[in-house]
Amino acid sequence: GPKVLQIPSHQIIDMGQMVTLNCDPVSNHLYFYWYKQILGQQMEFLVNFYNGKVMEKSKLFKDQFSVERPDGSYFTLKIQPTALEDSAVYFCASSLHGLGVNYAEQFFGPGTRLTVL
Amino acid sequence: QQQVRQSPQSLTVWEGETAILNCSYEDSTFNYFPWYQQFPGEGPALLISISSVSDKKEDGRFTIFFNKREKKLSLHITDSQPGDSATYFCAARNNAGAKLTFGGGTRLTVRP
């Protein structure tokens, strides 16, 4: 089936540094998402993005977070500066449509494990 | 407050048995419920889904039973196979947006 790729699979950084997580979504998809999963907890929605704009975001999407998809390439999540509580696995997803039952299946990447020391 | 809850957290069945995974939700506006299957090191993959207008959805060995009045649903895996060993997530969405609200997952182990 369609694949979403995420680079890197694991990133370790020091608190206060900037980090960029990269996602290569399914090629014809138009909607993009980030979810966060802290170890042992459920996956939680961060943000979705369409046509160059943030459409929805949760309270977990702090001011230090930003997303973009420059020139239709990688969909990125940038955290600047990072904090200890940002340590988690971040899953990227994409979908062809944003709403509706039949066409909004979200395809997930394998996740990037972020460790903030 | 968790909007989507799953039970049990872990479940072990023998090969050939039926595994039953439970899910409940709080928000009555949720109207679409996908179940995702996740293997270690991989992202969640859509397994089967149901909308709130149906009370049952079947796809091969996988069946969702949905009770709108009680805000409960369950995933039944018949003739369980060792290859079904994975973590299963129940998720929910409404028409207000595209975000999915996930449950905590059930880790299923199928013993040969």
Side-chain angles (χ1 to χ4, degrees):
Chain A
K3 294 282 190 187
V4 174
L5 304 177
Q6 289 189 243
I7 302 167
S9 58
H10 193 181
Q11 179 112 28
I12 302 173
I13 60 170
D14 291 323
M15 181 177 64
Q17 284 189 315
M18 180 195 76
V19 68
T20 299
L21 308 183
N22 298 297
C23 171
D24 188 9
V26 178
S27 60
N28 63 333
H29 283 185
L30 302 174
Y31 290 80
F32 313 106
Y33 312 80
W34 285 102
Y35 291 83
K36 174 183 180 181
Q37 185 177 37
I38 294 174
L39 187 64
Q41 298 183 22
Q42 55 209 84
M43 199 174 331
E44 294 191 89
F45 169 81
L46 284 177
V47 65
N48 73 19
F49 188 82
Y50 167 73
N51 197 26
K53 299 173 188 172
V54 170
M55 302 301 290
E56 302 172 81
K57 60 182 180 179
S58 72
K59 61 179 185 294
L60 296 179
F61 193 76
K62 304 179 297 184
D63 291 342
Q64 297 90 325
F65 288 28
S66 63
V67 290
E68 62 176 357
R69 192 182 186 214
D71 301 323
S73 59
Y74 285 151
F75 175 52
T76 64
L77 173 65
K78 183 185 293 186
I79 309 174
Q80 181 179 26
T82 51
L84 294 177
E85 61 264 27
D86 297 330
S87 293
V89 179
Y90 290 84
F91 290 95
C92 171
S94 68
S95 65
L96 183 59
H97 297 284
L99 293 174
V101 173
N102 294 324
Y103 304 109
E105 177 186 349
Q106 293 180 25
F107 291 83
F108 285 79
T112 292
R113 181 177 299 277
L114 175 66
T115 302
V116 181
L117 302 176
Chain B
Q1 180 187 13
Q2 288 186 3
Q3 290 287 324
V4 178
R5 289 191 175 89
Q6 290 186 248
S7 64
Q9 282 188 308
S10 64
L11 175 66
T12 299
V13 299
W14 293 102
E15 183 175 357
E17 291 185 331
T18 296
I20 299 175
L21 290 65
N22 300 303
C23 179
S24 64
Y25 61 97
E26 299 290 329
D27 189 339
S28 58
T29 67
F30 286 150
N31 59 3
Y32 172 65
F33 303 89
W35 284 81
Y36 283 84
Q37 179 188 56
Q38 185 179 27
F39 295 106
E42 299 181 11
L46 181 66
L47 182 66
I48 186 173
S49 62
I50 193 168
S51 71
S52 59
V53 298
S54 302
D55 56 14
K56 181 181 175 181
K57 177 79 173 290
E58 193 170 349
D59 185 358
R61 296 185 295 110
F62 302 92
T63 302
I64 300 174
F65 293 92
F66 178 62
N67 185 324
K68 187 173 183 177
R69 184 178 59 84
E70 295 187 7
K71 297 182 190 171
K72 291 181 179 179
L73 54 163
S74 61
L75 174 68
H76 291 224
I77 306 174
T78 58
D79 188 25
S80 296
Q81 302 296 309
D84 296 330
S85 297
T87 299
Y88 292 81
F89 291 98
C90 171
R93 198 188 73 211
N94 58 24
N95 287 335
K99 71 175 187 183
L100 291 172
T101 300
F102 281 86
T106 293
R107 179 177 292 183
L108 174 67
T109 302
V110 181
R111 298 204 185 279

